[in-house]
């Protein structure tokens, strides 16, 4: 590698600070830093810094912005009922013919949770301490048994957590799944900027790199060979969910079937927002295309606008659950490139100061740029949005306590399991509706409640905390 030329390029771009400690580095350090820098397009990064970092980009709200239409959770008339039944059957047929694969995005840093390790390894099981990955694996195992076809699970990691994620799967024997059917792939990285647009060093021999957002998934599917593998395995429907939501409807025949029957390229579950400012992206339509407008970008007069019956006009919030057609991803990434819009996030990023001391800031000091998968929605010729049910589908584990936390997620898992037990005929509640005990079910039972027959006659003792495996 021509270091002098690389250095000159960085200096010409006003980014020479990345070489500040070069002379102090050993060979390994030099190789690492030079490798990172050689992969950068300094001009493009400076353009990004000018557009997103030095000034704050304004999100233009199109004048024709309207709420996106959606399929209601429950059919409203006989015709819809028949159509939903047809869609459900089509979804089950997709599963039975092995055309559906799973895609978990697990490349994030999980900073809010404050957990040391990949988020998927977090012990979310309310009684068992089962990991998030363990929940998904159990669900996949049950679906394979129910539909009689192997399901390939694609897991996106990032350079930060790829090694520990793979190790965790090995230590847990892939949770009983066939290791051949689990494919890890790594997303791209983006360097963090100081507020002045200068690239930050996380160490003397390294840029401060972080994953490039879940929008990075689509290109990473292509570059990793995952798309080619899907094609080889005749799988053309991707069930997409985030690693922090163990209730995600990964195996949802109605959702899969509607996607198929409607000829959708990218579909989404929507949840009715509980208030105008709930922190969910808003499903909207503009220029005939579906688009998500972030909660922070939707102007108050739109967020608060109501229909005649008092319901919110922009009611559809996104829990980040999608069904995506393989062909759509192939089309978007066919040129080996895909640039979704960037989003700016102001973060606290530890970095080297001019003297070579690692500074851990108390306040946001840096800008990270990420792309989001939902920005592919407007690129889809056809989309389907289906209303989901919050209690059964959305338990995001973002924080350790409070709203959207491990605590609230555990409670939702126990409630989901109580509903599964109840529908299988077990007495689980007191007269006031509260649970008599904390019974955690292995995830298999939610997919296949018939399996609960093996516990027939077992009484649930008041006040116990148990795991039913
Ligand atoms: P979040 O936006 O909640 O980010 O990711 P996070 O990194 O998990 O958590 P914080 O914000 O640092 O607390 C939503 C989902 O997208 C994945 C995450 O792993 C999670 O499943 N994700 C996010 C990626 O796979 N890659 C990314 O670059 C960002």
């Amino acid at each position: 590698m021509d270091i002098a030329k690389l250095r000159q390029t960085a200096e010409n771009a006003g980014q020479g600070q990345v070489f500040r400690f070069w002379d102090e580095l050993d060979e390994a350090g030099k190789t690492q830093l030079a490798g990172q820098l050689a992969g950068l397009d300094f001009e493009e990064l400076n353009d990004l810094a000018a557009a997103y970092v030095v000034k704050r980009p304004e999100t233009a709200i199109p004048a024709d912005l309207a709420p996106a239409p959606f399929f209601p959770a429950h059919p409203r008339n006989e015709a819809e009922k028949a159509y939903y039944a047809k869609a459900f059957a089509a979804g089950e047929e997709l599963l039975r013919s092995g055309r559906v694969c799973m895609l978990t995005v697990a490349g994030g840093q999980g900073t809010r949770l404050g957990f040391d390790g990949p988020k998927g390894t977090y012990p979310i099981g309310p009684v068992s301490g089962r990991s998030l990955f363990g929940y998904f694996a159990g669900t996949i195992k049950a679906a394979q048994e129910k539909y009689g076809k192997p399901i390939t699970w694609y897991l996106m990691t990032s350079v930060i957590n790829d090694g520990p994620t793979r190790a965790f799967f090995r230590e847990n024997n892939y949770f009983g799944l066939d290791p051949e059917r689990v494919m890890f792939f790594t997303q791209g990285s983006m360097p963090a900027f100081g507020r002045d647009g200068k690239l930050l060093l996380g160490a003397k021999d390294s840029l401060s790199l972080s994953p490039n957002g879940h929008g990075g998934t689509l290109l990473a599917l292509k570059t990793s060979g995952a798309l080619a593998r899907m094609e080889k395995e005749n799988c053309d429907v991707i069930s997409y969910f985030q690693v922090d939501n163990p209730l995600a409807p990964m195996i949802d025949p109605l959702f899969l079937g509607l996607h198929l029957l409607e000829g959708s390229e990218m579909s989404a579950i929507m949840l009715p927002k509980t208030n105008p400012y709930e922190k969910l992206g808003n499903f909207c339509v503009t220029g005939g295309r579906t688009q998500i407008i972030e909660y922070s970008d939707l102007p108050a007069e739109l967020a608060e606008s109501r229909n005649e019956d008092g319901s919110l006009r922009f009611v559809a919030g996104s829990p980040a659950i999608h069904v995506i057609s393989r062909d759509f991803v192939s089309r978007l990434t066919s040129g080996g490139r895909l640039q979704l819009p960037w989003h700016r996030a102001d973060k606290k990023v530890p970095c080297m100061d001019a003297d070579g001391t690692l500074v851990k800031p108390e306040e946001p000091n840096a800008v990270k740029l990420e792309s989001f998968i939902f920005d592919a929605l407007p690129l889809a010729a056809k989309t389907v949005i289906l209303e989901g049910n919050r209690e059964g589908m959305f338990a995001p584990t973002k924080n350790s306590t409070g709203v959207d936390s491990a605590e609230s997620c555990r409670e939702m898992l126990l409630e989901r399991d109580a509903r599964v037990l109840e529908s299988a005929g077990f007495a689980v509640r007191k007269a006031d509706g509260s649970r008599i005990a904390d019974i955690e079910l292995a995830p298999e039972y939610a997919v296949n409640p018939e399996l609960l027959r093996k516990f027939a006659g077992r009484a649930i003792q008041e006040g116990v905390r148990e795991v039913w495996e």
Side-chain angles (χ1 to χ4, degrees), residues 340-375:
L340 296 173
W342 291 105
H343 296 257
R344 169 189 172 129
D346 290 73
K347 300 269 182 176
K348 290 182 257 182
V349 175
C351 59
M352 289 280 123
D353 68 7
D355 305 328
T357 311
L358 186 68
V359 181
K360 292 196 174 151
E362 300 284 322
E363 295 299 323
N365 61 321
V367 174
K368 287 186 182 179
L369 297 181
E370 294 190 340
S371 67
F372 295 158
I373 193 139
F374 61 67
D375 281 321

Side-chain angles (χ1 to χ4, degrees), residues 178-469:
D178 176 358
E180 293 293 313
R181 286 275 171 181
V182 181
M183 176 174 170
F184 301 94
F185 66 104
T186 307
Q187 69 177 109
S189 301
M190 235 350 230
F193 297 89
R195 290 238 169 90
D196 55 1
K198 303 279 182 207
L199 297 174
L200 296 177
L201 288 173
K204 289 181 177 176
D205 60 0
S206 178
L207 291 167
S208 176
L209 293 172
S210 43
N212 60 1
H214 43 63
T217 312
L218 300 171
L219 190 58
L221 281 174
K222 163 90 174 177
T223 53
S224 65
L227 273 185
R229 176 174 175 161
M230 286 176 201
E231 201 167 341
K232 207 164 119 222
E233 292 178 350
N234 290 321
C235 163
D236 55 354
V237 180
I238 306 168
S239 173
Y240 168 102
F241 51 93
Q242 300 192 333
V243 74
D244 53 23
N245 179 15
L247 286 185
M250 324 153 43
I251 311 285
D252 186 332
L254 174 64
F255 187 31
L256 292 164
L258 283 174
H259 174 85
L260 182 77
L261 295 188
E262 293 287 311
S264 170
E265 289 194 310
M266 179 162 175
S267 299
I269 292 287
M270 81 80 157
L271 299 178
K273 287 191 320 189
T274 50
N275 68 70
Y277 299 109
E278 189 179 356
K279 293 183 174 176
L280 295 176
N282 296 281
F283 286 105
C284 304
V285 180
T286 166
R289 297 273 171 164
T290 305
Q291 184 176 342
I292 286 190
I293 303 280
E294 285 190 87
Y295 63 88
S296 46
D297 290 334
L298 192 68
E301 68 269 25
L302 294 183
E304 288 181 14
S305 68
R306 297 199 177 254
N307 298 310
E308 272 174 12
D309 64 2
S311 58
L312 287 175
R313 262 185 82 224
F314 289 86
V315 71
S318 173
I321 298 163
H322 299 288
V323 170
I324 307 171
S325 289
R326 185 198 73 215
D327 282 349
F328 177 53
V329 186
S330 299
R331 174 162 72 75
L332 293 186
T333 58
S334 62
R337 268 183 76 84
L338 169 65
Q339 195 44 70
L340 296 173
W342 291 105
H343 296 257
R344 169 189 172 129
D346 290 73
K347 300 269 182 176
K348 290 182 257 182
V349 175
C351 59
M352 289 280 123
D353 68 7
D355 305 328
T357 311
L358 186 68
V359 181
K360 292 196 174 151
E362 300 284 322
E363 295 299 323
N365 61 321
V367 174
K368 287 186 182 179
L369 297 181
E370 294 190 340
S371 67
F372 295 158
I373 193 139
F374 61 67
D375 281 321
L377 278 167
L379 307 176
K382 173 87 195 195
T383 59
V384 158
I385 302 173
L386 172 64
E387 179 181 359
N389 113 36
R390 191 178 284 258
E391 298 70 43
M393 295 184 177
F394 191 48
T397 312
K398 301 288 184 197
N399 309 298
S400 59
T401 56
V403 179
D404 294 345
S405 66
E407 221 172 61
S408 60
C409 178
R410 289 191 176 113
E411 174 58 23
M412 290 186 77
L413 284 165
L414 287 171
E415 267 304 305
R416 190 271 308 266
D417 290 346
R419 289 194 300 273
V420 173
L421 284 164
E422 224 169 358
S423 59
F426 291 89
V428 298
R429 299 202 188 268
K430 300 179 190 163
D432 65 1
S434 60
R435 294 190 306 271
I436 55 178
D438 288 346
I439 309 294
E440 177 190 321
L441 295 179
E444 286 81 346
Y445 298 111
V447 181
N448 245 342
E450 313 86 71
L451 299 176
L452 281 171
R453 267 199 302 252
K454 84 175 202 208
F455 299 109
R458 183 153 159 184
I460 297 173
Q461 305 295 330
E462 198 162 332
V464 299
R465 282 173 69 75
E466 279 178 6
V467 186
W468 290 14
E469 288 286 351

Side-chain angles (χ1 to χ4, degrees), residues 31-64:
T31 307
Q32 168 169 286
L33 184 61
Q36 293 174 354
L37 297 172
L40 300 182
D41 179 336
F42 283 100
E43 251 173 59
E44 192 182 332
L45 287 170
N46 277 349
D47 288 349
L48 288 177
Y52 293 93
V53 180
V54 181
K55 66 173 199 241
R56 271 170 201 278
E58 299 259 314
T59 311
I61 298 297
D64 68 342

